[in-house]
Each structure stands twice: as C-alpha cells, then as structure tokens.
Amino acid sequence: MQLPMDSACRSPAELAELAPLPSAAQSGIRSTGRFDLRLWLGPPVVLLLLAAAALAIDIPVAQWALGRNYPRAVRELMSLAEAWGHGVGVSIVLLTVYTLDPARRRDLPRAILTVAAAGCGANLVKLLIARTRPGATDLLHVHTWETFVGWLPFGRSGSGFQSFPSAHTATAVGLALVLGWLYPRGRWLFGVFAVAVGIQRVFASAHYPSDVLAGAAVGWLCAWAILRLRRSPASQSG
C-alpha cells in the first residue's frame, strides 16, 4: 500500500492506522514446521497425562463439590463462566467480532469451523465411552473405575452417562484458541476464561477433573488442526 506523500509529517500512530491490517491467517498460526507440530501435539499429550493422573482424585473432588453452598458471588461467577463454553455464548462472542471488527470477517468461517470441531470432537468421544456424571453417581459407594460403565453407548443412555470428556471445556478451549488467533495480545485472558469453564464444570457436579482435562486435550487437538491449515493462494489473494 502506497502511503500519502506527506507521510513523513505524520505521527507513528497515524502511520500505523494507514498501514493495512493483516488478516488472522497472516498474523496468527501459519507455520507447518516442527515447532508447529510440537505445539499441536504437545499440550494434548500433557493434558491427557494430567487427566490420567486426575483419576486418583476424581471421586474426592466430586464429593467436595457436590452439594456445597457456595457464596452467591461464586455461583454467579461460575454461571457466567459456563457461557464461554456454551453454543449460545460462543455465538454471541463471534457475532461481536463480526460486528465490531469488519477486518476480521473473512476469518470468521474458519473460526466457526474451529470451535465447532472442538465441541464436536468431544461429543464424538462421548459416543464411544459412557461415564456417569458426578451428580448422577453415588459418590460415597463407588470407585473411580466404576464410573465408566460401558463402551460404544452411542448416546443411548442419556446425558447422565456422558461425563467423559467435557464438551463445554473443549468448546471453551477451541474458542480461546480462535480468539488468540484473531487477537494475539489477549491470549492469556482467553486462556483464563477457558480455565474458568473447566472449574465451573467441576463445581456444578457436571464433570470430574479428568473429564475437564481430557476435554481440554480434545478441544486443543481438534481446534489446532483447523487453525494450522494454510490458506490456498487463491483465497489469500482474494
């Protein structure tokens, strides 16, 4: 882009406004080298290892969370956090991006696909592994392994047997990655929001800690797989 002839008289801030705004595909995740592969697979592997370790504390933590009378402020905060991993909340966030940042609209189809892949990936695992939710389990007379009640249920047992993994957490991680791709300066904040969703799912007795960690792993793996794809030359020039 050719700057005006009087650009030498302009301040750096004014020149920055004149410069073309790079798309998320240009400023975000584009490399396909070794570092990219490590960043794609590394966090899910760590999260899955943590999920396996968390099986030892699933029941005690679920017992602690079940039926606790949290302060009103905590309940309200947790209720707000859940929206970050819910389809309606995600839609509102992306609609806000569409409305307030027209320069990023070209990246929204990939953003939507990324979040959908994260959530659907977790729901697919739910169809393969049946696990009772903490709120539907006799936590005083059950061992961790007894909460896993079958393979390949394909949703026949209902929501009460769809604890593993947490789809809310997977969706929240996908959304955090998308927003970090669009707005890199806010990555730490988006990560905090995703962590808050995982905590809320445990506090609400909807999931065990291992469910949350596994959901985060699935969400990262599916979302990163979409975000790391390069655009075709035709789409970049269009």
Side-chain angles (χ1 to χ4, degrees):
M1 177 179 179
Q2 185 177 2
L3 297 179
M5 295 298 295
D6 62 340
S7 60
C9 301
R10 296 179 181 270
S11 67
E14 291 173 327
L15 291 175
E17 293 179 356
L18 292 173
L21 182 65
S23 68
Q26 294 173 326
S27 61
I29 303 163
R30 294 187 58 189
S31 64
T32 57
R34 181 179 300 177
F35 177 77
D36 184 50
L37 183 62
R38 289 178 179 177
L39 196 55
W40 179 36
L41 297 179
V45 170
V46 173
L47 288 167
L48 288 175
L49 291 175
L50 291 174
L55 290 170
I57 63 170
D58 274 353
I59 299 302
V61 172
Q63 291 174 342
W64 177 84
L66 185 64
R68 293 187 64 87
N69 186 21
Y70 302 108
R72 179 178 178 181
V74 174
R75 294 198 305 270
E76 291 178 351
L77 182 62
M78 290 296 100
S79 178
L80 292 173
E82 182 183 4
W84 187 262
H86 192 276
V88 175
V90 171
S91 299
I92 292 173
V93 170
L94 295 180
L95 180 61
T96 301
V97 172
Y98 177 86
T99 303
L100 300 181
D101 193 355
R104 302 300 188 197
R105 289 178 182 175
R106 61 182 297 182
D107 297 305
L108 283 180
R110 183 185 290 198
I112 295 171
L113 179 61
T114 299
V115 180
C120 291
N123 285 325
L124 178 61
V125 178
K126 288 178 183 287
L127 297 178
L128 305 178
I129 303 175
R131 188 183 194 187
T132 58
R133 295 183 184 271
T137 303
D138 183 3
L139 296 174
L140 296 177
H141 304 91
V142 68
H143 188 273
T144 299
W145 297 110
E146 294 174 339
T147 62
F148 292 92
V149 294
W151 297 94
L152 304 177
F154 297 113
R156 291 189 297 267
S157 302
S159 176
F161 293 85
Q162 296 179 357
S163 185
F164 184 87
S166 170
H168 275 73
T169 305
T171 301
V173 169
L175 181 60
L177 285 173
V178 161
L179 293 178
W181 175 60
L182 294 172
Y183 308 106
R185 290 185 179 180
R187 286 173 179 168
W188 68 270
L189 179 61
F190 307 139
V192 168
F193 291 160
V195 171
V197 172
I199 295 174
Q200 187 276 334
R201 303 313 288 161
V202 175
F203 276 26
S205 295
H207 290 284
Y208 304 95
S210 61
D211 299 335
V212 169
L213 291 165
V218 173
W220 181 288
L221 189 65
C222 294
W224 190 271
I226 302 298
L227 288 179
R228 70 191 297 267
L229 296 177
R230 285 179 179 267
R231 284 183 172 181
S232 65
S235 63
Q236 290 184 18
S237 60

